[in-house]
Amino acid sequence: MGRYASDFRGERHVFRDLAELLAKASPRRSGDELAGLAAESDAQRVAARAVLADLPLTRFLEEPLIPYEEDEVTRLIHDSHDAAAFAPVRHLTVGGLRDWLLSYDATPGVLAALAPGLTPEMVAAVSKLMRNQDLISVASRCRVTTAFRSTIGLPGRLSTRLQPNHPTDDLRGIAAATLDGLLYGTGDAVIGINPATDSVPNCIALLEMLDGLRERHDIPTQTCVLTHVTNAIRIMERGAPVDLVFQSIAGTEAANRGFGVDLAVLREAREAALALKRGTVGQDVMYFETGQGAALSADAHHGLDQQTVETRAYAVARAFSPLLVNTVVGFIGPEYLYDGKQIIRAGLEDHCCAKLLGVPMGVDVCYTNHAEADQDDMDTLMTLLAVAGTSFIITVPGADDVMLNYQSGSFHDALYLRSVLGRRATPEFEAWLERMDMTDRVGRIRQFAPQEGAMRRLLSGQDESLAL
Amino acid sequence: MPSDLPQNDPWRGLRRSTPARIGLGRAGDALPLEAVLDFQLAHARARDAVHTPLDLAALADGLEGLDHVSVRSQAADRGTYLRRPDLGRRLDPACAVDLPAGGWDAVFVLADGLSAKAVQLHAVPLLRSVLVKLPGWRIAPVVLASQARVALGDDIGGALGATLCAMLIGERPGLSVADSLGVYLTYGPRTGRRDSERNCISNIHPSGGLTYEMAATKLAWLMTEARQRRLTGVDLKDDAAILPAAAEPKAIEG
């Protein structure tokens, strides 16, 4: 391990190794302070960025941050690195990559071809040299398209996860929240429930209810109950209707072990889901969640700053061709991201880094009640992310998740973003909304009177299950 | 839907099935103002619950007839507490001298956690309900703890030499309930206990949560079993199916 030093504008700064250099170059955040990794002063932070800027990208191939022998995520990153794809930027420094990514040469086609040649560490490093507008500019040029029953990530589109959670998994309550969301035109990325009770029979009951609702109305989307991957395997063995396999993942082998998973079990679950052949326009069957702070909270961060180790999780994700990935950016709490400023920055970093690596990133634009954040911060972040081209956002009734006790996006937020930025739902879902007579002449979601067609159609056929 | 058509509101029946904010209606793309203000009030109450300090004097008044001492963690203020959960788990060394070591069967710690309001409202009634179910137990003076995370009970229980520590602590406020109390029971409390070595009773509050009596019954059962079997945690939880059903515990705070 080399030492990294600089005489930056007359001040001498020394960094022990690559991990420390990356950590000190990171924008300030509470999780790195908690871990004792953050820069000791603002000046030291800038000096670290200056050293990082001069570092050749090839250094990240020569010097793994976590030893190859110790960590299967490191092995995955290095074994799957595509040297041919890397060739066009091989000669660059981290700072040179930043400038090149912002140049007019970095077109969507060029960036898509580059993705397999980039490692998470290179991407994390360059993001530390980027301002928020750089993160938005670069991400907006990345195209990552995935498909199952709908096609997510096409230019000009913004999809939504409809998240109809209920504190006791009441089927009627979940169906009610789902219908509410559909009436705002949300759910084209997935209708996905976080179950309150993580048992196999309960998850099967939820899956069957969602699948029945989807089939009855012929909705071109996918459903998911976000249970542990090992539960999903058992649920598929019992023949329940599983579209997508969900799992929370992180950027180190030890952190993934904390989630009770490894690469082998993810592979096994993906193969089982592929065998069901339930997709119509594609067969991307995995759904992952990530989030800065996950590795540190499992004490499995190996001395890496939280943004660098988060980016390594995207290497895990891309190995399984996921339909959807989202960072739960503000969920994990103020000890990792203290306030709106830190949440906004992290959301833009996670989105940009994932997209550069070819991962279909969406964002749970969210916060908890003990963070210094509010709806104004979420408005800012979701608007920036929609400009940056986020694949999807998460939406719940009135922004209030009554099961997980945090605030996410609302169905109304989706209407707002689609209106002000002209973003549309997936082509398949858009056609369904038209068939259901839910859109007006310019494609906006109509506001329904209770007696009206779309409302009646969606609520009818529910009479038995909902006892309206 | 338009609020001038309440008799036609198709959400009226569905609202009974979920506390979620469904059928809010629209002002263009946006939420109607009434829904915006409802949300802001709920968020304000949740934030107030997080940031209002524990009123130790009022809590002590409620404990009339019971010995009690006050302690604090190493987190000096709320900002530090929120950023540094590690400090909220450690006892301020200056407080250790106030904790009389003895052969206590159990100590009850009333701790602010993330909602002082929950502790202020519910901890004393719950404590009194459970104490009458524990005749003959040697109970340590009640400890009132500020800027406290769950694991602070390990330092407290360790200093007292108590066999069991029951931490009554404010849970992270949600928009619907800002005063939910949780109880964490630890056998052989000492610094470094893992969260998997505790039992948790969550969701104690009057807005559809566990009642004091239900929570007290459950806690007294757990304490009795823990003392007999000399353990808490996952191995004890396996037998807890005989207890009244409760909502799943949330992730342990701190």
Side-chain angles (χ1 to χ4, degrees), chain B residues 175-206:
Chain B
L175 290 191
S176 44
V177 180
D179 60 335
S180 181
L181 189 74
V183 181
Y184 292 85
L185 184 67
T186 311
Y187 183 87
R190 59 163 190 270
T191 308
R193 282 282 181 210
R194 295 188 306 272
D195 288 338
S196 59
E197 296 176 290
R198 312 183 200 284
N199 291 92
C200 170
I201 303 170
S202 181
N203 213 19
I204 304 162
H205 59 81

mmCIF file of all heavy atoms in Angstrom, chain B residues 175-206:
data_model
loop_
_atom_site.group_PDB
_atom_site.id
_atom_site.type_symbol
_atom_site.label_atom_id
_atom_site.label_comp_id
_atom_site.label_asym_id
_atom_site.label_seq_id
_atom_site.Cartn_x
_atom_site.Cartn_y
_atom_site.Cartn_z
ATOM 1 N N LEU B 175 -45.770 9.049 11.756
ATOM 2 C CA LEU B 175 -46.741 10.127 11.587
ATOM 3 C C LEU B 175 -48.038 9.822 12.313
ATOM 4 O O LEU B 175 -48.701 10.714 12.824
ATOM 5 C CB LEU B 175 -47.042 10.360 10.110
ATOM 6 C CG LEU B 175 -45.949 10.978 9.246
ATOM 7 C CD1 LEU B 175 -46.519 11.380 7.905
ATOM 8 C CD2 LEU B 175 -45.296 12.176 9.913
ATOM 9 N N SER B 176 -48.424 8.547 12.369
ATOM 10 C CA SER B 176 -49.712 8.226 12.998
ATOM 11 C C SER B 176 -49.600 8.120 14.512
ATOM 12 O O SER B 176 -50.519 8.493 15.228
ATOM 13 C CB SER B 176 -50.296 6.950 12.400
ATOM 14 O OG SER B 176 -49.303 5.970 12.262
ATOM 15 N N VAL B 177 -48.483 7.622 15.012
ATOM 16 C CA VAL B 177 -48.295 7.485 16.458
ATOM 17 C C VAL B 177 -46.919 8.028 16.831
ATOM 18 O O VAL B 177 -45.900 7.531 16.359
ATOM 19 C CB VAL B 177 -48.396 6.004 16.900
ATOM 20 C CG1 VAL B 177 -48.189 5.883 18.397
ATOM 21 C CG2 VAL B 177 -49.736 5.413 16.492
ATOM 22 N N ALA B 178 -46.901 9.053 17.677
ATOM 23 C CA ALA B 178 -45.629 9.662 18.074
ATOM 24 C C ALA B 178 -45.234 9.274 19.499
ATOM 25 O O ALA B 178 -44.209 9.688 19.997
ATOM 26 C CB ALA B 178 -45.707 11.180 17.955
ATOM 27 N N ASP B 179 -46.090 8.467 20.168
ATOM 28 C CA ASP B 179 -45.843 8.172 21.585
ATOM 29 C C ASP B 179 -45.890 6.667 21.845
ATOM 30 O O ASP B 179 -46.513 6.203 22.796
ATOM 31 C CB ASP B 179 -46.864 8.895 22.472
ATOM 32 C CG ASP B 179 -48.295 8.468 22.155
ATOM 33 O OD1 ASP B 179 -48.547 8.017 21.024
ATOM 34 O OD2 ASP B 179 -49.155 8.570 23.047
ATOM 35 N N SER B 180 -45.208 5.912 20.988
ATOM 36 C CA SER B 180 -45.189 4.456 21.155
ATOM 37 C C SER B 180 -44.017 4.066 22.049
ATOM 38 O O SER B 180 -42.881 4.482 21.835
ATOM 39 C CB SER B 180 -45.074 3.782 19.789
ATOM 40 O OG SER B 180 -45.083 2.383 19.936
ATOM 41 N N LEU B 181 -44.336 3.230 23.057
ATOM 42 C CA LEU B 181 -43.312 2.796 24.013
ATOM 43 C C LEU B 181 -42.894 1.365 23.684
ATOM 44 O O LEU B 181 -43.727 0.543 23.295
ATOM 45 C CB LEU B 181 -43.903 2.845 25.431
ATOM 46 C CG LEU B 181 -42.928 2.622 26.594
ATOM 47 C CD1 LEU B 181 -42.040 3.846 26.797
ATOM 48 C CD2 LEU B 181 -43.692 2.324 27.887
ATOM 49 N N GLY B 182 -41.604 1.091 23.840
ATOM 50 C CA GLY B 182 -41.107 -0.277 23.676
ATOM 51 C C GLY B 182 -40.445 -0.738 24.965
ATOM 52 O O GLY B 182 -39.996 0.087 25.763
ATOM 53 N N VAL B 183 -40.410 -2.050 25.175
ATOM 54 C CA VAL B 183 -39.696 -2.595 26.327
ATOM 55 C C VAL B 183 -38.668 -3.603 25.825
ATOM 56 O O VAL B 183 -38.987 -4.459 24.993
ATOM 57 C CB VAL B 183 -40.645 -3.321 27.308
ATOM 58 C CG1 VAL B 183 -39.846 -3.845 28.509
ATOM 59 C CG2 VAL B 183 -41.756 -2.404 27.773
ATOM 60 N N TYR B 184 -37.433 -3.476 26.294
ATOM 61 C CA TYR B 184 -36.377 -4.427 25.952
ATOM 62 C C TYR B 184 -35.899 -5.078 27.240
ATOM 63 O O TYR B 184 -35.478 -4.405 28.178
ATOM 64 C CB TYR B 184 -35.218 -3.720 25.244
ATOM 65 C CG TYR B 184 -35.615 -3.231 23.876
ATOM 66 C CD1 TYR B 184 -36.244 -1.997 23.708
ATOM 67 C CD2 TYR B 184 -35.405 -4.017 22.746
ATOM 68 C CE1 TYR B 184 -36.639 -1.561 22.461
ATOM 69 C CE2 TYR B 184 -35.798 -3.592 21.486
ATOM 70 C CZ TYR B 184 -36.411 -2.360 21.351
ATOM 71 O OH TYR B 184 -36.807 -1.939 20.110
ATOM 72 N N LEU B 185 -35.986 -6.419 27.270
ATOM 73 C CA LEU B 185 -35.614 -7.170 28.464
ATOM 74 C C LEU B 185 -34.314 -7.912 28.205
ATOM 75 O O LEU B 185 -34.184 -8.616 27.199
ATOM 76 C CB LEU B 185 -36.733 -8.160 28.804
ATOM 77 C CG LEU B 185 -36.527 -8.951 30.100
ATOM 78 C CD1 LEU B 185 -36.597 -8.038 31.310
ATOM 79 C CD2 LEU B 185 -37.572 -10.066 30.209
ATOM 80 N N THR B 186 -33.352 -7.738 29.122
ATOM 81 C CA THR B 186 -32.033 -8.353 28.949
ATOM 82 C C THR B 186 -31.645 -9.105 30.219
ATOM 83 O O THR B 186 -31.607 -8.515 31.301
ATOM 84 C CB THR B 186 -30.960 -7.278 28.655
ATOM 85 O OG1 THR B 186 -31.438 -6.433 27.611
ATOM 86 C CG2 THR B 186 -29.646 -7.915 28.242
ATOM 87 N N TYR B 187 -31.348 -10.385 30.083
ATOM 88 C CA TYR B 187 -30.841 -11.173 31.213
ATOM 89 C C TYR B 187 -29.331 -10.959 31.326
ATOM 90 O O TYR B 187 -28.623 -10.969 30.335
ATOM 91 C CB TYR B 187 -31.130 -12.675 30.995
ATOM 92 C CG TYR B 187 -30.704 -13.528 32.164
ATOM 93 C CD1 TYR B 187 -31.563 -13.737 33.247
ATOM 94 C CD2 TYR B 187 -29.429 -14.081 32.207
ATOM 95 C CE1 TYR B 187 -31.161 -14.487 34.339
ATOM 96 C CE2 TYR B 187 -29.013 -14.835 33.294
ATOM 97 C CZ TYR B 187 -29.880 -15.041 34.368
ATOM 98 O OH TYR B 187 -29.483 -15.777 35.449
ATOM 99 N N GLY B 188 -28.865 -10.779 32.566
ATOM 100 C CA GLY B 188 -27.425 -10.581 32.782
ATOM 101 C C GLY B 188 -26.904 -9.376 32.032
ATOM 102 O O GLY B 188 -25.956 -9.492 31.250
ATOM 103 N N PRO B 189 -27.505 -8.207 32.249
ATOM 104 C CA PRO B 189 -27.070 -7.037 31.480
ATOM 105 C C PRO B 189 -25.610 -6.708 31.768
ATOM 106 O O PRO B 189 -25.195 -6.647 32.920
ATOM 107 C CB PRO B 189 -28.003 -5.919 31.976
ATOM 108 C CG PRO B 189 -28.445 -6.364 33.339
ATOM 109 C CD PRO B 189 -28.530 -7.866 33.255
ATOM 110 N N ARG B 190 -24.845 -6.555 30.720
ATOM 111 C CA ARG B 190 -23.466 -6.077 30.847
ATOM 112 C C ARG B 190 -23.039 -5.532 29.497
ATOM 113 O O ARG B 190 -23.595 -5.910 28.453
ATOM 114 C CB ARG B 190 -22.529 -7.195 31.321
ATOM 115 C CG ARG B 190 -22.493 -8.393 30.413
ATOM 116 C CD ARG B 190 -21.280 -9.275 30.670
ATOM 117 N NE ARG B 190 -21.178 -10.274 29.626
ATOM 118 C CZ ARG B 190 -21.758 -11.472 29.677
ATOM 119 N NH1 ARG B 190 -22.454 -11.846 30.739
ATOM 120 N NH2 ARG B 190 -21.619 -12.324 28.666
ATOM 121 N N THR B 191 -22.059 -4.639 29.538
ATOM 122 C CA THR B 191 -21.620 -3.960 28.320
ATOM 123 C C THR B 191 -21.263 -4.970 27.233
ATOM 124 O O THR B 191 -20.564 -5.939 27.496
ATOM 125 C CB THR B 191 -20.391 -3.089 28.647
ATOM 126 O OG1 THR B 191 -20.721 -2.263 29.767
ATOM 127 C CG2 THR B 191 -20.013 -2.209 27.453
ATOM 128 N N GLY B 192 -21.793 -4.745 26.033
ATOM 129 C CA GLY B 192 -21.440 -5.593 24.897
ATOM 130 C C GLY B 192 -22.481 -6.651 24.559
ATOM 131 O O GLY B 192 -22.281 -7.441 23.641
ATOM 132 N N ARG B 193 -23.611 -6.682 25.294
ATOM 133 C CA ARG B 193 -24.686 -7.619 24.938
ATOM 134 C C ARG B 193 -25.163 -7.340 23.513
ATOM 135 O O ARG B 193 -25.238 -6.192 23.082
ATOM 136 C CB ARG B 193 -25.876 -7.455 25.892
ATOM 137 C CG ARG B 193 -25.678 -8.109 27.236
ATOM 138 C CD ARG B 193 -25.896 -9.608 27.135
ATOM 139 N NE ARG B 193 -25.735 -10.238 28.441
ATOM 140 C CZ ARG B 193 -25.293 -11.486 28.600
ATOM 141 N NH1 ARG B 193 -24.967 -12.221 27.540
ATOM 142 N NH2 ARG B 193 -25.184 -12.005 29.805
ATOM 143 N N ARG B 194 -25.510 -8.404 22.805
ATOM 144 C CA ARG B 194 -26.035 -8.231 21.453
ATOM 145 C C ARG B 194 -27.561 -8.069 21.503
ATOM 146 O O ARG B 194 -28.220 -8.529 22.430
ATOM 147 C CB ARG B 194 -25.685 -9.447 20.593
ATOM 148 C CG ARG B 194 -24.195 -9.634 20.356
ATOM 149 C CD ARG B 194 -23.949 -10.738 19.332
ATOM 150 N NE ARG B 194 -24.602 -11.989 19.681
ATOM 151 C CZ ARG B 194 -24.046 -12.931 20.457
ATOM 152 N NH1 ARG B 194 -22.833 -12.743 20.950
ATOM 153 N NH2 ARG B 194 -24.690 -14.046 20.733
ATOM 154 N N ASP B 195 -28.102 -7.438 20.425
ATOM 155 C CA ASP B 195 -29.549 -7.236 20.378
ATOM 156 C C ASP B 195 -30.302 -8.560 20.305
ATOM 157 O O ASP B 195 -31.448 -8.659 20.750
ATOM 158 C CB ASP B 195 -29.918 -6.345 19.184
ATOM 159 C CG ASP B 195 -29.505 -4.901 19.411
ATOM 160 O OD1 ASP B 195 -29.332 -4.521 20.592
ATOM 161 O OD2 ASP B 195 -29.334 -4.166 18.438
ATOM 162 N N SER B 196 -29.666 -9.592 19.757
ATOM 163 C CA SER B 196 -30.319 -10.901 19.676
ATOM 164 C C SER B 196 -30.431 -11.563 21.060
ATOM 165 O O SER B 196 -31.084 -12.583 21.207
ATOM 166 C CB SER B 196 -29.536 -11.810 18.732
ATOM 167 O OG SER B 196 -28.210 -11.964 19.194
ATOM 168 N N GLU B 197 -29.798 -10.969 22.080
ATOM 169 C CA GLU B 197 -29.880 -11.498 23.444
ATOM 170 C C GLU B 197 -30.964 -10.794 24.255
ATOM 171 O O GLU B 197 -31.007 -10.926 25.482
ATOM 172 C CB GLU B 197 -28.521 -11.348 24.152
ATOM 173 C CG GLU B 197 -27.424 -12.161 23.498
ATOM 174 C CD GLU B 197 -26.062 -11.936 24.145
ATOM 175 O OE1 GLU B 197 -25.501 -10.834 23.981
ATOM 176 O OE2 GLU B 197 -25.567 -12.855 24.821
ATOM 177 N N ARG B 198 -31.811 -10.034 23.574
ATOM 178 C CA ARG B 198 -32.884 -9.323 24.273
ATOM 179 C C ARG B 198 -34.238 -9.803 23.772
ATOM 180 O O ARG B 198 -34.353 -10.302 22.649
ATOM 181 C CB ARG B 198 -32.805 -7.819 24.007
ATOM 182 C CG ARG B 198 -31.440 -7.204 24.188
ATOM 183 C CD ARG B 198 -31.502 -5.700 23.977
ATOM 184 N NE ARG B 198 -30.191 -5.161 23.672
ATOM 185 C CZ ARG B 198 -29.227 -4.970 24.562
ATOM 186 N NH1 ARG B 198 -29.438 -5.268 25.826
ATOM 187 N NH2 ARG B 198 -28.050 -4.483 24.208
ATOM 188 N N ASN B 199 -35.267 -9.587 24.587
ATOM 189 C CA ASN B 199 -36.647 -9.736 24.126
ATOM 190 C C ASN B 199 -37.289 -8.367 24.071
ATOM 191 O O ASN B 199 -36.999 -7.502 24.902
ATOM 192 C CB ASN B 199 -37.433 -10.648 25.067
ATOM 193 C CG ASN B 199 -36.957 -12.079 24.963
ATOM 194 O OD1 ASN B 199 -36.078 -12.510 25.712
ATOM 195 N ND2 ASN B 199 -37.510 -12.815 24.016
ATOM 196 N N CYS B 200 -38.147 -8.190 23.091
ATOM 197 C CA CYS B 200 -38.742 -6.874 22.861
ATOM 198 C C CYS B 200 -40.261 -6.966 22.878
ATOM 199 O O CYS B 200 -40.841 -7.906 22.335
ATOM 200 C CB CYS B 200 -38.273 -6.345 21.503
ATOM 201 S SG CYS B 200 -39.152 -4.863 20.976
ATOM 202 N N ILE B 201 -40.887 -6.019 23.552
ATOM 203 C CA ILE B 201 -42.336 -5.826 23.434
ATOM 204 C C ILE B 201 -42.499 -4.432 22.846
ATOM 205 O O ILE B 201 -42.064 -3.444 23.437
ATOM 206 C CB ILE B 201 -43.045 -5.909 24.805
ATOM 207 C CG1 ILE B 201 -42.743 -7.243 25.489
ATOM 208 C CG2 ILE B 201 -44.555 -5.726 24.632
ATOM 209 C CD1 ILE B 201 -43.216 -7.300 26.934
ATOM 210 N N SER B 202 -43.100 -4.379 21.679
ATOM 211 C CA SER B 202 -43.139 -3.120 20.938
ATOM 212 C C SER B 202 -44.558 -2.592 20.883
ATOM 213 O O SER B 202 -45.513 -3.295 21.204
ATOM 214 C CB SER B 202 -42.608 -3.392 19.534
ATOM 215 O OG SER B 202 -42.589 -2.211 18.784
ATOM 216 N N ASN B 203 -44.675 -1.313 20.476
ATOM 217 C CA ASN B 203 -45.985 -0.819 20.058
ATOM 218 C C ASN B 203 -46.963 -0.661 21.228
ATOM 219 O O ASN B 203 -48.130 -0.993 21.112
ATOM 220 C CB ASN B 203 -46.533 -1.813 19.028
ATOM 221 C CG ASN B 203 -47.383 -1.147 17.976
ATOM 222 O OD1 ASN B 203 -47.299 0.054 17.778
ATOM 223 N ND2 ASN B 203 -48.209 -1.928 17.322
ATOM 224 N N ILE B 204 -46.475 -0.167 22.366
ATOM 225 C CA ILE B 204 -47.344 0.062 23.522
ATOM 226 C C ILE B 204 -47.810 1.522 23.487
ATOM 227 O O ILE B 204 -47.012 2.443 23.659
ATOM 228 C CB ILE B 204 -46.584 -0.208 24.847
ATOM 229 C CG1 ILE B 204 -46.018 -1.642 24.844
ATOM 230 C CG2 ILE B 204 -47.492 0.034 26.051
ATOM 231 C CD1 ILE B 204 -44.916 -1.865 25.880
ATOM 232 N N HIS B 205 -49.082 1.727 23.175
ATOM 233 C CA HIS B 205 -49.658 3.075 23.122
ATOM 234 C C HIS B 205 -51.166 2.948 23.038
ATOM 235 O O HIS B 205 -51.683 1.880 22.698
ATOM 236 C CB HIS B 205 -49.098 3.860 21.926
ATOM 237 C CG HIS B 205 -49.361 3.208 20.601
ATOM 238 N ND1 HIS B 205 -50.556 3.328 19.938
ATOM 239 C CD2 HIS B 205 -48.590 2.396 19.829
ATOM 240 C CE1 HIS B 205 -50.510 2.640 18.803
ATOM 241 N NE2 HIS B 205 -49.332 2.059 18.722
ATOM 242 N N PRO B 206 -51.901 4.034 23.312
ATOM 243 C CA PRO B 206 -53.365 3.917 23.352
ATOM 244 C C PRO B 206 -54.050 4.032 21.989
ATOM 245 O O PRO B 206 -55.263 3.873 21.920
ATOM 246 C CB PRO B 206 -53.789 5.078 24.265
ATOM 247 C CG PRO B 206 -52.673 6.055 24.220
ATOM 248 C CD PRO B 206 -51.431 5.349 23.789
#
